[in-house]
């Protein structure tokens, strides 16, 4: 217990609220206690650490507890030392705290969803917190959440690799494939395919050419096209006025 600043002679229980309530219910007038001097911040931290040891805390409550400790100036190492949890666990809980908390509570209160930390760890594979929240909102149950998270992480990696490849060949000024054209129309030839799941953007190559090239991403691959020579000739003469 700690002494009350507002009411001299009175004390406030920092931890042991349930034991105190049980003692009162049992008719006990005296119970052993330890009187300590603490700042408000220290009181809050002690109360929070006590609660963190409970087994009935929800996903939301655990995440909020770790985030509050971080907000109070504790480092991840200090949180791990004070709570007894591993640093990996602390990082996982802090990542959960980054999610949309209203949506998190909504899923947590849905008995059919059966939300668990194991499912939420899948979301960490997605770099964008905005995308994590999108997946969390759209997921219908825990299994669906895991599936959507894996697919979103895969698509995020593909987009990242696509941008890296195009940046590597920025001197070619490769343009997006024309929206009003079809790759199978017979007017185009495919000159290169990059696997966005496997190819390392730093190691990919593309033959130099004077021809204008175009790109199109499709099913995890980046396709590079050029107009067929005859099409280029036809296009030229169609633009010439005789």
């Amino acid at each position: 217990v700690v002494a009350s600043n507002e009411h001299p002679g009175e004390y406030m229980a920092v931890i042991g609220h349930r034991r105190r309530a049980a003692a009162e219910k049992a008719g006990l007038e005296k119970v052993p206690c330890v009187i300590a001097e603490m700042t408000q911040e220290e009181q809050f931290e002690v109360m929070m650490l006590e609660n963190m040891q409970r087994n009935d805390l929800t996903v939301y409550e655990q995440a909020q507890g770790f985030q509050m400790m971080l907000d109070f100036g504790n480092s991840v190492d200090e949180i791990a030392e004070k709570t007894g949890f591993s640093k990996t666990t602390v990082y996982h809980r802090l990542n959960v705290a980054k999610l949309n908390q209203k949506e998190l509570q909504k899923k947590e209160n849905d008995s059919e969803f059966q939300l668990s930390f194991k499912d939420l760890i899948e979301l960490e594979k997605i770099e964008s917190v905005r995308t994590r929240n999108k997946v969390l909102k759209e997921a219908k149950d825990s299994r669906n959440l895991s599936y959507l998270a894996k697919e979103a992480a895969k698509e995020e990696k593909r987009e990242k690799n696509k941008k890296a490849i195009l940046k590597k060949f920025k001197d070619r000024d490769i343009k997006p494939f024309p929206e009003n054209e079809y790759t199978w129309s017979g007017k185009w030839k495919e000159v290169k395919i990059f696997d966005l799941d496997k190819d390392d953007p730093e190691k990919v190559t593309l033959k130099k050419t004077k021809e204008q090239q175009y790109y199109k991403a499709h099913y995890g691959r980046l396709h590079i096209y050029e107009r067929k020579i005859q099409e280029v000739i036809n296009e030229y003469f169609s633009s010439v006025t005789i």
Side-chain angles (χ1 to χ4, degrees):
V1 295
V2 294
S4 172
N5 293 326
E6 296 180 0
H7 305 285
E10 294 186 7
Y11 296 84
M12 180 183 73
V14 178
I15 60 175
H17 295 83
R18 294 184 178 183
R19 281 168 284 178
R20 177 171 173 258
E24 288 182 351
K25 191 172 183 179
L28 299 177
E29 295 183 358
K30 294 181 180 181
V31 292
C33 66
V34 176
I35 300 175
E37 291 185 5
M38 296 181 183
T39 63
Q40 281 194 323
E41 183 177 317
E42 289 172 334
Q43 292 173 37
F44 180 80
E45 187 171 287
V46 169
M47 292 171 69
M48 188 161 50
L49 286 172
E50 176 74 7
N51 279 328
M52 293 295 283
Q53 307 307 317
R54 289 166 46 198
N55 294 322
D56 60 344
L57 288 181
T58 65
V59 171
Y60 168 79
E61 289 170 337
Q62 283 195 43
Q64 286 296 305
F66 281 105
Q67 185 59 51
M68 287 180 181
M69 290 186 72
L70 190 71
D71 292 342
F72 269 109
N74 290 279
S75 67
V76 170
D77 286 336
E78 290 171 332
I79 295 173
E81 183 179 349
K82 291 176 181 179
T83 61
F85 290 100
S86 69
K87 287 196 290 184
T88 299
T89 298
V90 174
Y91 278 120
H92 285 322
R93 300 302 189 267
L94 291 175
N95 272 320
V96 172
K98 295 177 183 177
L99 297 171
N100 183 311
Q101 297 301 290
K102 288 185 178 180
E103 192 62 42
L104 179 65
Q105 286 182 292
K106 182 180 177 180
K107 299 297 185 186
E108 194 172 58
N109 295 329
D110 185 347
S111 59
E112 295 183 3
F113 199 94
Q114 298 182 331
L115 184 68
S116 71
F117 273 117
K118 183 179 179 181
D119 299 317
L120 292 172
I121 288 176
E122 289 292 336
L123 288 176
E124 294 180 31
K125 297 176 183 178
I126 305 170
E127 292 183 13
S128 168
V129 175
R130 183 177 180 180
T131 304
R132 292 180 192 177
N133 283 323
K134 183 175 181 291
V135 169
L136 179 64
K137 184 176 182 178
E138 293 178 353
K140 298 176 181 178
D141 53 44
S142 59
R143 181 178 296 182
N144 186 231
L145 174 67
S146 180
Y147 170 77
L148 292 177
K150 289 177 181 177
E151 290 300 306
K154 186 184 295 184
E155 187 56 38
E156 187 177 61
K157 179 185 176 183
R158 288 173 177 173
E159 186 63 24
K160 188 176 181 179
N161 286 344
K162 184 190 82 172
K163 289 180 179 179
I165 290 172
L166 293 174
K167 185 177 180 179
K168 181 174 182 179
F169 302 116
K170 63 181 179 180
D171 60 312
R172 315 286 182 89
D173 190 29
I174 305 175
K175 300 182 182 297
F177 194 83
E179 293 184 3
N180 58 340
E181 291 282 356
Y182 299 97
T183 58
W184 44 262
S185 65
K187 300 178 182 180
W188 303 87
K189 66 175 180 178
E190 189 173 67
V191 296
K192 190 74 174 182
I193 301 177
F194 298 110
D195 190 324
L196 296 175
D197 291 323
K198 299 178 181 179
D199 289 343
D200 182 348
E202 294 298 321
K203 297 179 180 180
V204 296
T205 58
L206 184 62
K207 290 182 179 180
K208 289 188 176 182
T209 177
K210 294 181 179 179
E211 300 296 329
Q212 175 63 60
Q213 293 180 321
Y214 301 83
Y215 72 86
K216 186 170 187 177
H218 190 60
Y219 287 108
R221 295 183 176 184
L222 182 65
H223 303 259
I224 306 298
Y225 296 94
E226 291 177 7
R227 289 183 184 275
K228 288 185 176 180
I229 297 298
Q230 187 58 48
E231 287 302 316
V232 174
I233 294 172
N234 292 342
E235 186 175 290
Y236 170 76
F237 281 108
S238 67
S239 64
V240 174
T241 303
I242 300 177

